[in-house]
Amino acid sequence: MSRTARIERITKETKVLVEIDLDGTGQAEISTGVGFYDHMLNQIARHGGFDLTVRTVGDLEIDAHHTMEDTALALGAAFDQALGDKAGIRRYGSATVPMDEVLVRAAVDLSGRPYVLHDEPALAPYIGPVYPTSMTRHIWESFGQAARITLHVDVLRAARPGGHPDAHHVVEAQFKAVSRALREATAIDPRNAGAIPSTKGAL
Protein backbone atom coordinates (compact mmCIF):
# COMPACT_ATOMS: atom_id res chain seq x y z
CA MET A 1 0.00 0.00 0.00
CA SER A 2 1.31 3.42 -0.95
CA ARG A 3 2.05 5.62 2.06
CA THR A 4 2.04 8.97 0.32
CA ALA A 5 0.27 12.29 0.76
CA ARG A 6 -0.20 15.62 -0.96
CA ILE A 7 -1.30 18.64 1.07
CA GLU A 8 -2.04 22.11 -0.27
CA ARG A 9 -2.60 24.87 2.28
CA ILE A 10 -3.58 28.30 0.98
CA THR A 11 -4.29 31.35 3.11
CA LYS A 12 -4.03 35.10 2.62
CA GLU A 13 -0.52 34.86 4.05
CA THR A 14 0.97 31.74 2.48
CA LYS A 15 0.64 29.13 -0.21
CA VAL A 16 2.11 25.75 0.73
CA LEU A 17 2.46 22.47 -1.14
CA VAL A 18 3.82 19.37 0.62
CA GLU A 19 4.21 15.93 -0.94
CA ILE A 20 5.65 13.01 1.00
CA ASP A 21 6.41 9.33 0.51
CA LEU A 22 7.13 7.63 3.83
CA ASP A 23 8.81 4.74 2.03
CA GLY A 24 11.17 6.84 -0.04
CA THR A 25 14.94 7.12 -0.19
CA GLY A 26 15.52 10.55 1.35
CA GLN A 27 15.13 12.62 -1.80
CA ALA A 28 14.07 16.23 -1.23
CA GLU A 29 12.99 19.30 -3.16
CA ILE A 30 12.56 22.13 -0.66
CA SER A 31 11.86 25.82 -1.23
CA THR A 32 10.38 28.07 1.47
CA GLY A 33 12.32 31.29 0.96
CA VAL A 34 14.00 30.79 4.35
CA GLY A 35 17.37 29.24 3.62
CA PHE A 36 18.13 27.68 6.99
CA TYR A 37 14.59 26.28 7.21
CA ASP A 38 15.09 24.65 3.81
CA HIS A 39 18.28 23.11 5.18
CA MET A 40 16.38 21.75 8.20
CA LEU A 41 13.53 20.29 6.13
CA ASN A 42 16.16 18.56 4.02
CA GLN A 43 17.33 16.88 7.24
CA ILE A 44 13.85 15.42 7.73
CA ALA A 45 13.95 13.86 4.28
CA ARG A 46 17.53 12.63 4.41
CA HIS A 47 17.64 11.26 7.96
CA GLY A 48 14.02 10.12 7.98
CA GLY A 49 14.37 8.30 4.67
CA PHE A 50 11.31 10.11 3.31
CA ASP A 51 10.89 11.55 -0.18
CA LEU A 52 9.74 15.10 0.46
CA THR A 53 8.69 18.06 -1.66
CA VAL A 54 7.94 21.39 0.01
CA ARG A 55 7.12 24.55 -1.91
CA THR A 56 6.07 27.58 0.13
CA VAL A 57 5.44 31.15 -0.94
CA GLY A 58 4.82 33.38 2.05
CA ASP A 59 4.71 36.97 3.21
CA LEU A 60 8.42 37.22 3.95
CA GLU A 61 8.17 40.98 3.46
CA ILE A 62 6.55 40.95 6.93
CA ASP A 63 8.67 38.25 8.60
CA ALA A 64 9.24 34.50 8.47
CA HIS A 65 6.62 33.50 11.04
CA HIS A 66 3.67 32.67 8.77
CA THR A 67 5.89 30.92 6.24
CA MET A 68 7.49 28.66 8.82
CA GLU A 69 4.32 27.98 10.80
CA ASP A 70 2.13 27.13 7.81
CA THR A 71 4.82 24.92 6.31
CA ALA A 72 5.05 22.99 9.58
CA LEU A 73 1.27 22.61 9.70
CA ALA A 74 1.15 21.30 6.13
CA LEU A 75 4.05 18.93 6.79
CA GLY A 76 2.31 17.56 9.86
CA ALA A 77 -0.94 17.09 7.93
CA ALA A 78 0.98 15.25 5.22
CA PHE A 79 2.47 12.82 7.76
CA ASP A 80 -0.97 12.22 9.24
CA GLN A 81 -2.51 11.58 5.83
CA ALA A 82 0.30 9.32 4.63
CA LEU A 83 0.09 7.15 7.76
CA GLY A 84 -3.56 6.36 7.09
CA ASP A 85 -4.98 4.08 9.81
CA LYS A 86 -1.41 3.34 11.01
CA ALA A 87 -1.84 -0.40 10.68
CA GLY A 88 1.42 -2.31 10.90
CA ILE A 89 3.66 0.55 12.02
CA ARG A 90 6.08 0.48 14.94
CA ARG A 91 4.30 3.56 16.40
CA TYR A 92 7.09 4.55 18.81
CA GLY A 93 10.49 5.94 17.92
CA SER A 94 13.35 7.67 19.66
CA ALA A 95 16.80 8.92 18.80
CA THR A 96 19.70 10.58 20.56
CA VAL A 97 21.84 12.57 18.16
CA PRO A 98 25.19 14.26 18.80
CA MET A 99 26.40 17.18 16.72
CA ASP A 100 29.81 18.26 17.94
CA GLU A 101 29.21 19.79 21.40
CA VAL A 102 25.41 19.38 21.19
CA LEU A 103 23.39 16.32 22.23
CA VAL A 104 19.64 16.09 21.51
CA ARG A 105 17.08 13.42 22.36
CA ALA A 106 13.76 13.11 20.52
CA ALA A 107 10.93 10.67 21.24
CA VAL A 108 7.80 10.15 19.15
CA ASP A 109 4.51 8.35 19.67
CA LEU A 110 2.22 8.30 16.63
CA SER A 111 -0.63 8.25 19.09
CA GLY A 112 -3.33 10.32 17.42
CA ARG A 113 -3.12 12.59 20.49
CA PRO A 114 -1.22 15.83 19.85
CA TYR A 115 1.16 16.71 22.68
CA VAL A 116 4.51 18.45 22.31
CA LEU A 117 7.20 19.17 24.89
CA HIS A 118 10.30 21.08 23.83
CA ASP A 119 13.30 22.12 25.90
CA GLU A 120 16.30 24.05 24.62
CA PRO A 121 18.65 26.68 26.05
CA ALA A 122 18.50 30.37 25.22
CA LEU A 123 20.02 30.92 21.77
CA ALA A 124 21.17 33.81 19.60
CA PRO A 125 18.02 35.38 18.10
CA TYR A 126 18.73 34.49 14.46
CA ILE A 127 20.48 31.87 12.36
CA GLY A 128 21.35 33.53 9.09
CA PRO A 129 19.43 36.65 8.12
CA VAL A 130 15.89 35.24 8.29
CA TYR A 131 15.49 32.21 10.63
CA PRO A 132 14.38 33.33 14.13
CA THR A 133 15.47 30.74 16.68
CA SER A 134 12.34 31.44 18.74
CA MET A 135 10.36 29.71 15.96
CA THR A 136 11.89 26.26 16.51
CA ARG A 137 9.57 25.47 19.39
CA HIS A 138 6.60 26.73 17.37
CA ILE A 139 7.60 24.56 14.40
CA TRP A 140 7.50 21.43 16.58
CA GLU A 141 4.22 22.50 18.18
CA SER A 142 2.60 23.17 14.81
CA PHE A 143 3.96 19.99 13.26
CA GLY A 144 2.94 17.84 16.22
CA GLN A 145 -0.59 19.24 16.36
CA ALA A 146 -1.21 18.71 12.65
CA ALA A 147 0.42 15.27 12.60
CA ARG A 148 -1.55 14.24 15.73
CA ILE A 149 1.51 12.87 17.49
CA THR A 150 3.20 13.04 20.86
CA LEU A 151 6.64 14.59 20.48
CA HIS A 152 9.32 15.28 23.07
CA VAL A 153 12.48 17.17 22.06
CA ASP A 154 15.17 17.77 24.69
CA VAL A 155 18.54 19.45 24.23
CA LEU A 156 20.64 17.48 26.72
CA ARG A 157 23.91 19.31 26.16
CA ALA A 158 24.68 22.49 24.26
CA ALA A 159 27.28 24.88 25.66
CA ARG A 160 30.86 24.64 24.61
CA PRO A 161 33.35 24.89 27.51
CA GLY A 162 33.61 28.58 28.33
CA GLY A 163 31.29 29.54 25.49
CA HIS A 164 27.66 29.95 24.46
CA PRO A 165 25.51 27.44 22.61
CA ASP A 166 25.98 27.36 18.84
CA ALA A 167 22.41 28.01 17.63
CA HIS A 168 23.04 26.31 14.28
CA HIS A 169 24.17 23.09 15.93
CA VAL A 170 21.40 23.14 18.56
CA VAL A 171 18.61 23.48 16.00
CA GLU A 172 20.09 21.15 13.40
CA ALA A 173 20.63 18.40 15.96
CA GLN A 174 16.94 18.70 16.90
CA PHE A 175 15.80 18.22 13.31
CA LYS A 176 18.11 15.24 12.87
CA ALA A 177 16.93 13.62 16.11
CA VAL A 178 13.25 14.11 15.27
CA SER A 179 13.87 12.74 11.78
CA ARG A 180 15.50 9.59 13.11
CA ALA A 181 12.71 9.10 15.66
CA LEU A 182 10.08 9.51 12.95
CA ARG A 183 11.93 7.04 10.74
CA GLU A 184 11.70 4.41 13.46
CA ALA A 185 8.10 5.18 14.44
CA THR A 186 6.72 5.16 10.88
CA ALA A 187 8.55 1.98 9.87
CA ILE A 188 6.53 -1.14 9.17
CA ASP A 189 6.93 -3.69 11.96
CA PRO A 190 7.23 -7.18 10.44
CA ARG A 191 6.09 -8.71 13.74
CA ASN A 192 2.88 -6.66 13.79
CA ALA A 193 1.24 -8.42 10.81
CA GLY A 194 -0.66 -5.31 9.73
CA ALA A 195 -2.36 -4.79 13.09
CA ILE A 196 -2.92 -1.38 14.62
CA PRO A 197 -0.41 -1.06 17.49
CA SER A 198 -2.87 -0.12 20.21
CA THR A 199 -5.08 -2.05 22.63
CA LYS A 200 -7.85 0.40 21.62
CA GLY A 201 -7.75 -0.90 18.05
CA ALA A 202 -7.34 2.63 16.68
CA LEU A 203 -4.80 5.45 16.69
Side-chain angles (χ1 to χ4, degrees):
M1 183 178 68
S2 175
R3 300 197 299 162
T4 62
R6 176 186 173 94
I7 297 292
E8 290 188 81
R9 178 185 172 88
I10 300 173
T11 71
K12 292 181 179 179
E13 298 164 339
T14 62
K15 181 178 181 180
V16 185
L17 168 68
V18 173
E19 296 177 331
I20 193 166
D21 182 348
L22 298 181
D23 300 308
T25 59
Q27 301 302 306
E29 181 186 334
I30 313 291
S31 176
T32 68
V34 181
F36 185 74
Y37 196 28
D38 291 355
H39 182 43
M40 294 302 97
L41 295 176
N42 267 285
Q43 305 304 320
I44 290 179
R46 174 57 60 189
H47 295 283
F50 313 121
D51 288 346
L52 180 62
T53 297
V54 177
R55 299 192 189 100
T56 303
V57 178
D59 55 357
L60 292 177
E61 71 279 3
I62 296 176
D63 65 13
H65 186 108
H66 299 143
T67 295
M68 296 168 71
E69 175 184 53
D70 288 1
T71 300
L73 288 168
L75 181 61
F79 266 91
D80 187 42
Q81 185 181 105
L83 283 166
D85 65 3
K86 303 177 185 175
I89 63 168
R90 293 186 182 275
R91 175 177 169 178
Y92 294 98
S94 63
T96 302
V97 169
M99 187 169 182
D100 297 351
E101 77 284 1
V102 175
L103 186 66
V104 173
R105 178 180 59 214
V108 171
D109 175 11
L110 305 181
S111 60
R113 299 187 306 276
Y115 198 92
V116 176
L117 287 175
H118 175 261
D119 183 44
E120 71 176 8
L123 301 175
Y126 282 90
I127 300 173
V130 184
Y131 184 99
T133 55
S134 62
M135 280 297 295
T136 305
R137 178 193 299 272
H138 193 46
I139 288 167
W140 296 133
E141 290 171 341
S142 300
F143 172 75
Q145 289 290 324
R148 300 188 307 119
I149 64 173
T150 297
L151 173 63
H152 291 235
V153 184
D154 296 291
V155 179
L156 304 177
R157 187 174 299 119
R160 293 166 289 183
H164 299 288
D166 183 315
H168 187 128
H169 286 176
V170 170
V171 175
E172 184 166 341
Q174 289 179 53
F175 274 84
K176 288 178 175 177
V178 171
S179 303
R180 297 297 300 189
L182 286 169
R183 182 182 188 132
E184 181 179 348
T186 60
I188 298 298
D189 184 351
R191 298 176 64 185
N192 203 20
I196 293 173
S198 171
T199 54
K200 297 183 180 71
L203 288 173

